[in-house]
Amino acid sequence: MAAQFEDEKPGRVLSGPAALLLGTVALAVGALALWQVFRPLAQGSKYYLIIFLAGVLPLVFLAYPADLPRWARLRRPRRRDDDAHRADQTDRADDTDHTERTGSTRPTVVDWLLFALTVAACLYPVLPITIGTGGGGYNAFLDRQGLLAPTDLVLGTVLLLLLLEACRRTTGWILPAVCLLFLGYGYYGGLLPQSWPVAHAGLDFSQLVDAFYNSDSGFYGTPLDVAASYIVLFTIYGAVLELSGAGRFFVDLSAAAFRRSRTAAGRTAVASGFLLGTVSGSGAATTVSIGAVTWPLLRRAGYPPERAGGMLAAAGVGAILSPPTLGAAAFIIAEYLGVSYLAVLGWATVPTVLYYLGILLSVEIDARRSGVRPVVLDVGSPWRLLGRFGYHFASLIAIIVFLAVGVSATRAVVFAIVLTAALSWLDRTHRLTPARLATALVTGVRGVLAVTAVCAAAGIITATTTKTGLGPQAAALLIGGAQAATSDPTLVLVLTALLAAVALSLLGLAVPVTASFVIGWVIVGPALLDLGVAAPAAAMFVFYFAVLSEVSPPTALAAVAAAAVTGGRLVPTMWQTLRYALPAYLTPIAFVITPTGLGLLGIGGVGRIAVAAVVTALSVAVLAVAAGGWLPGVGPAGAPERVLGALGGVTLLWLEPVPVALGAALAAVAATGVFLRRRSADRSSPHPVEERL
């Protein structure tokens, strides 16, 4: 179920020779990724990226079906042994349904041909074989940069097409279409009227292929470097942590911690989402995982399916926003800005706290407004759980400690993998034997197949943008649109930020989070930087709105997954998710439009950080009350109070003295109105109005 609602499509469940081959190659790639951390290849990082892509990309054609329309599928003749095998199956309906969803359960002849062709196209730059005027090994290939041989051009074109097909298989048609759009812009952009801001001199096809295949900004650029150096290690770490029993422990601990609370079910769902995010780092997968365990509790408590689904989706998406394992785009931020991963974790800490503060406040408000019933959770003491299984936190803490003392992120996660494997022997049922460790390596590498295809294809976008100068031109257009409405510099920044937020949200509806960040950074990033926004704030702004595409209607993958778990109506579930995730949409704007907002990223003195955090926390609380229509401890809020509260909460996000004072005054007036409404209701009723529990 998790795979169905991810950015990527569900893959095949392989068996036989295909499964053996995929497992062997994935194991070798995982071992190489671990080895590369301590003994980098002498030929350099690009050589490693070529080998990594050659090991991973061909597996996409074995692991993911073509998923073509029925009319385009090639029919394979039946064999008698196939019929006999089908006759032995006891659950034909499930098999048929699985095949309809994922295509053929075995690779076809075309898949094997594409597998072989991908291996050849990926390994060609390093093979010491002369082919006409091309080939000749790695150094000879690099020497031909800017002057590709015909063989280079052919195989570069083949790899381009294979990457687009791999993206189509793993993520759908949209990302390949976007890549083709950029490719067409690079090729035909010279035909545009030169008076147009986006016009350029034009590039011929060989120049484009050279930029993709034989430069540091194409297929083997920063996105693929991040996938091969960071993401694969963190997916292996997540697999090791999951096999060690950490996932179940986190859910049990969340339930035990709130077992005596009146809102135990909702709090358990939110806490589980935060803790499970350290294992998966995926919004939809975390949503399904926590929903499978906590939806029965939420149902018993009386939560409507749509409201419970919104809560689960918002908590699940928090997995991508929560340290220490942020989404894949966070590693790209570190590479683009030339900072440590620990710095990115620091930038994400306060916004994460504010995000979950908003969700928890919404949980408390919903519990009182909807008459949620207390639920008795049959779990033990949290202290007993911590005493027995608290070692699962050790590796997470170790990552932070290693980063703090200057150890690189790659080495820190490898040490965490070793620590997790060693501590797993404290639990007899989850010991990581060599066989289970190999399974974790294979699972981790298979989990990075789709991300690798996306990151390599993102090189098409970044290389085209670099070659044509599209980034500065698009930034000028964005700023010009804001300046057409006003000449005030502050309002220009605000309008640009709002336009950028809308553009990023729309972009994220169509492409995966990683690709959305890359495209957003090369288009929106320069506009924010030109207006004086600090690079960390601009990067995190783009990151947050790329991630929030998972909860943004009309696609909202996490909300779709939650609705599938709870059985709720889809559109109401999406709107409930939007309500729960509201702080995440507004906080990024706060740290872009004012210098004080940088305090939300932990930048500046202690005073700036404290003021920014406290004021924004107040804003989140006021907005939660306005959206939920209930002031805890007082009672229901009417429409006037909710409108005033919403205005006050939004005004508080402008972290300057006058707007903060105005926002606080509006919030106080709204709270006073709720209190007076409660007193009036008490006087007019013979029985005091009590909160329904």
Side-chain angles (χ1 to χ4, degrees):
M1 182 177 283
Q4 283 182 320
F5 303 108
E6 276 296 299
D7 282 333
E8 62 195 64
K9 294 182 177 181
R12 291 184 173 111
V13 179
L14 297 175
S15 60
L20 179 61
L21 177 62
L22 186 144
T24 303
V25 175
L27 187 62
V29 170
L32 175 63
L34 295 172
W35 177 267
Q36 170 75 7
V37 173
F38 300 97
R39 293 289 186 271
L41 299 181
Q43 296 88 341
S45 61
K46 186 173 180 177
Y47 189 91
Y48 166 65
L49 295 181
I50 292 172
I51 300 299
F52 180 84
L53 189 64
V56 172
L57 189 62
L59 299 182
V60 171
F61 297 101
L62 300 184
Y64 292 87
D67 199 19
L68 296 171
R70 288 181 179 273
W71 58 266
R73 296 179 186 174
L74 295 177
R75 297 288 182 180
R76 189 176 54 179
R78 283 191 175 183
R79 299 181 304 179
R80 292 183 179 180
D81 56 343
D82 287 343
D83 294 335
H85 177 71
R86 291 190 185 91
D88 292 336
Q89 301 300 314
T90 58
D91 195 357
R92 299 184 181 182
D94 288 347
D95 290 343
T96 301
D97 180 64
H98 175 77
T99 302
E100 289 293 327
R101 290 195 314 268
T102 63
S104 171
T105 57
R106 290 185 294 180
T108 64
V109 174
V110 173
D111 294 331
W112 285 109
L113 290 175
L114 292 176
F115 173 88
L117 191 58
T118 307
V119 172
C122 288
L123 287 180
Y124 166 76
V126 299
L127 291 179
I129 301 173
T130 301
I131 305 175
T133 57
Y138 181 59
N139 291 330
F141 179 74
L142 293 183
D143 290 339
R144 293 192 297 274
Q145 186 172 355
L147 295 170
L148 294 185
T151 311
D152 302 335
L153 184 60
V154 170
L155 287 172
T157 304
V158 169
L159 183 56
L160 170 65
L161 296 175
L162 289 169
L163 268 174
L164 294 176
E165 170 60 10
C167 285
R168 188 197 65 79
R169 291 188 178 213
T170 55
T171 65
W173 288 97
I174 302 297
L175 180 57
V178 172
C179 291
L180 288 173
L181 180 64
F182 274 83
L183 181 64
Y185 170 72
Y187 188 74
Y188 292 107
L191 302 179
L192 296 174
Q194 292 302 304
S195 59
W196 289 15
V198 294
H200 60 88
L203 300 169
D204 61 38
F205 190 71
S206 63
Q207 289 177 303
L208 290 169
V209 173
D210 178 73
F212 301 152
Y213 198 35
N214 199 358
S215 76
D216 294 333
S217 62
F219 301 148
Y220 307 109
T222 298
L224 181 63
D225 188 17
V226 167
S229 302
Y230 296 95
I231 300 174
V232 65
L233 295 177
F234 274 86
T235 55
I236 292 172
Y237 169 62
V240 170
L241 203 59
E242 179 65 32
L243 287 177
S244 71
R248 184 67 203 182
F249 163 69
F250 291 150
V251 175
D252 290 344
L253 180 64
S254 301
F258 301 115
R259 69 190 191 281
R260 295 178 180 176
S261 168
R262 292 179 299 179
T263 55
R267 292 183 181 181
T268 299
V270 175
S272 298
F274 173 72
L275 293 174
L276 281 178
T278 62
V279 179
S280 71
S282 166
T286 305
T287 298
V288 171
S289 298
I290 63 176
V293 177
T294 60
W295 164 233
L297 302 177
L298 295 170
R299 183 172 52 204
R300 282 165 49 197
Y303 278 94
E306 293 79 14
R307 186 162 293 173
M311 182 195 307
L312 294 173
V317 168
I320 315 178
L321 304 173
S322 304
T325 51
L326 296 168
F331 300 102
I332 301 179
I333 292 175
E335 289 295 312
Y336 277 169
L337 300 187
V339 299
S340 68
Y341 182 58
L342 181 62
V344 181
L345 294 183
W347 299 340
T349 300
V350 175
T352 299
V353 173
L354 294 173
Y355 179 74
Y356 279 100
L357 171 65
I359 296 177
L360 285 173
L361 286 173
S362 297
V363 168
E364 299 297 326
I365 289 170
D366 283 351
R368 287 153 176 79
R369 185 183 182 190
S370 304
V372 171
R373 300 181 295 273
V375 175
V376 178
L377 304 182
D378 187 16
V379 291
S381 165
W383 301 111
R384 184 176 301 172
L385 273 175
L386 278 173
R388 177 67 184 88
F389 299 107
Y391 61 83
H392 286 301
F393 285 113
S395 62
L396 297 170
I397 297 172
I399 290 178
I400 303 299
V401 173
F402 283 131
L403 292 174
V405 298
V407 177
S408 67
T410 52
R411 292 197 174 195
V413 72
V414 173
F415 292 149
I417 290 171
V418 173
L419 180 61
T420 303
L423 292 177
S424 70
W425 288 80
L426 297 175
D427 183 1
R428 181 176 300 177
T429 59
H430 293 99
R431 289 175 179 172
L432 290 175
T433 61
R436 299 187 78 221
L437 276 175
T439 300
L441 278 177
V442 173
T443 302
V445 173
R446 177 155 184 171
V448 84
L449 295 185
V451 175
T452 300
V454 169
C455 287
I460 299 172
I461 297 166
T462 56
T464 303
T465 303
T466 302
K467 280 284 189 179
T468 61
L470 177 61
Q473 295 164 347
L477 281 176
L478 193 60
I479 296 173
Q483 290 175 336
T486 178
S487 59
D488 183 84
T490 303
L491 293 180
V492 168
L493 175 58
V494 173
L495 287 176
T496 302
L498 293 176
L499 290 174
V502 173
L504 289 168
S505 299
L506 293 176
L507 176 65
L509 300 178
V511 299
V513 170
T514 305
S516 178
F517 173 80
V518 172
I519 300 171
W521 179 248
V522 300
I523 301 298
V524 172
L528 297 175
L529 296 175
D530 289 346
L531 291 174
V533 176
M540 294 302 288
F541 178 90
V542 176
F543 171 69
Y544 270 87
F545 280 101
V547 169
L548 289 172
S549 62
E550 292 217 355
V551 293
S552 300
T555 53
L557 296 177
V560 174
V565 172
T566 64
R569 293 170 296 162
L570 182 56
V571 174
T573 300
M574 287 183 178
W575 288 115
Q576 289 293 333
T577 303
L578 198 62
R579 181 173 69 85
Y580 276 101
L582 182 62
Y585 284 91
L586 299 176
T587 303
I589 296 176
F591 54 67
V592 164
I593 61 176
T594 62
T596 307
L598 287 173
L600 295 174
L601 301 178
I603 299 174
V606 176
R608 173 192 278 184
I609 296 172
V611 168
V614 170
V615 174
T616 309
L618 176 61
S619 171
V620 168
V622 173
L623 289 171
V625 171
W630 191 281
L631 181 61
V634 181
E641 294 88 7
R642 295 176 71 175
V643 171
L644 281 175
L647 291 174
V650 172
T651 305
L652 283 168
L653 292 173
W654 194 304
L655 298 173
E656 295 293 342
V658 173
V660 168
L662 178 60
L666 289 173
V669 171
T672 303
V674 176
F675 181 76
L676 293 176
R677 183 183 295 272
R678 169 67 182 265
R679 289 191 60 182
S680 175
D682 288 345
R683 290 174 181 173
S684 61
S685 173
H687 301 288
V689 177
E690 297 181 356
E691 295 181 25
R692 293 177 295 165
L693 302 179

